[in-house]
Amino acid sequence: MAVHLHEEDLPADVGFADGPIAVDTEAMGLHPGRDRLCLVQLSDGKGDEHLVRFGQGSNFSAPNLKRLLADPNRLKLYHFARFDVGIMQYYLGIMAAPLYCTRTASRLVRTYTDRHGLKDLVKELLCLEISKQQQTSDWGAAELSEAQREYAASDVRYLHALKDKLDERLEREGRTALAQACFDFLPARALLDIAGWPEQDIFAHDG
Ligand code: MN
């Protein structure tokens, strides 16, 4: 098990196992137009994580990364996909779907709580403690610290195991099809964010 840091793209020879790939991003903030994309993290669930760092002034060409993320036959796992696919659409120009979102699945089955953070899910469903200490750190730094790299990797480390647990709950509660419909819509929801409807519910009668 190791964390691999790459600059500007994945190497051509990274061999990911078949099946879903866990993806997360780190940026300078939460506004895609203002805040640049700094890092894309990937895991095939077999124990290694790959971090792709983009420097200030990057042209975001990254052909190997884009090929993997845009592959229509490869399911991507996220925690809060709406942000990640939005910022990757904005900077990389690809829609990294089809997707599964552990936060959305959690909201559909863990209706007894409003705690849907990754840390909360990992604790309740996998009985593990993860640190969120580096969440708000400076991802634009020229050198990422050991703590930042470990934090970034841990954000994709548990998504396969969480999907397994959440799929059982979705099945039990009869919400598998509803969850799939939400995942299918998420790319459009992310595009609405970027196109100027970040907060509004366009399905609402008022507002
Ligand atoms: Mn993250």
Side-chain angles (χ1 to χ4, degrees), residues 37 47-48 51 55-56 71 73 81 109 132 137 154 158 171 178 186-187 192 206:
L37 175 65
D48 282 9
L51 316 181
Q56 166 69 286
D71 182 350
N73 297 312
V109 292
K132 282 307 234 178
S137 65
S154 74
Y158 303 105
E171 190 68 37
L178 184 58
L186 264 164
L192 286 167
D206 299 310

Side-chain angles (χ1 to χ4, degrees), residues 62-74:
N64 297 328
L65 178 65
K66 287 179 188 173
R67 198 175 314 116
L68 178 72
L69 290 173
D71 182 350
N73 297 312
R74 176 83 80 160

Side-chain angles (χ1 to χ4, degrees), residues 15 17 51-52 62 66 68 79 83-84 90 94 96 113 138 142 150 155 164 178 188 196:
L51 316 181
V52 178
K66 287 179 188 173
L68 178 72
H79 186 77
F83 176 77
D84 297 308
Y90 191 90
I94 47 117
T113 179
D138 177 14
E150 172 53 28
D155 270 358
D164 290 345
L178 184 58

Side-chain angles (χ1 to χ4, degrees), residues 1-4 43 45-50 150 153 157-158:
M1 302 217 303
V3 179
H4 306 273
S43 166
K46 305 298 180 200
D48 282 9
E49 291 90 22
H50 292 267
E150 172 53 28
R157 190 169 292 153
Y158 303 105

Side-chain angles (χ1 to χ4, degrees), residues 7 28 37 40-41 47 72 79 83 94 96 109 112 137 139 144-145 160 162 174 189 195-196 200:
E7 298 291 334
M28 289 303 289
L37 175 65
V40 177
Q41 306 104 278
H79 186 77
F83 176 77
I94 47 117
V109 292
Y112 46 83
S137 65
W139 294 104
L144 296 180
S145 70
H160 290 78
L162 286 177
R189 181 56 266 193
Q200 296 89 336

Side-chain angles (χ1 to χ4, degrees), residues 121-139:
L121 288 187
V122 168
K123 185 172 179 178
E124 183 187 307
L125 300 176
L126 305 178
C127 303
L128 294 169
E129 291 283 347
I130 59 167
S131 167
K132 282 307 234 178
Q133 222 170 18
Q134 296 296 319
Q135 187 165 32
T136 53
S137 65
D138 177 14
W139 294 104

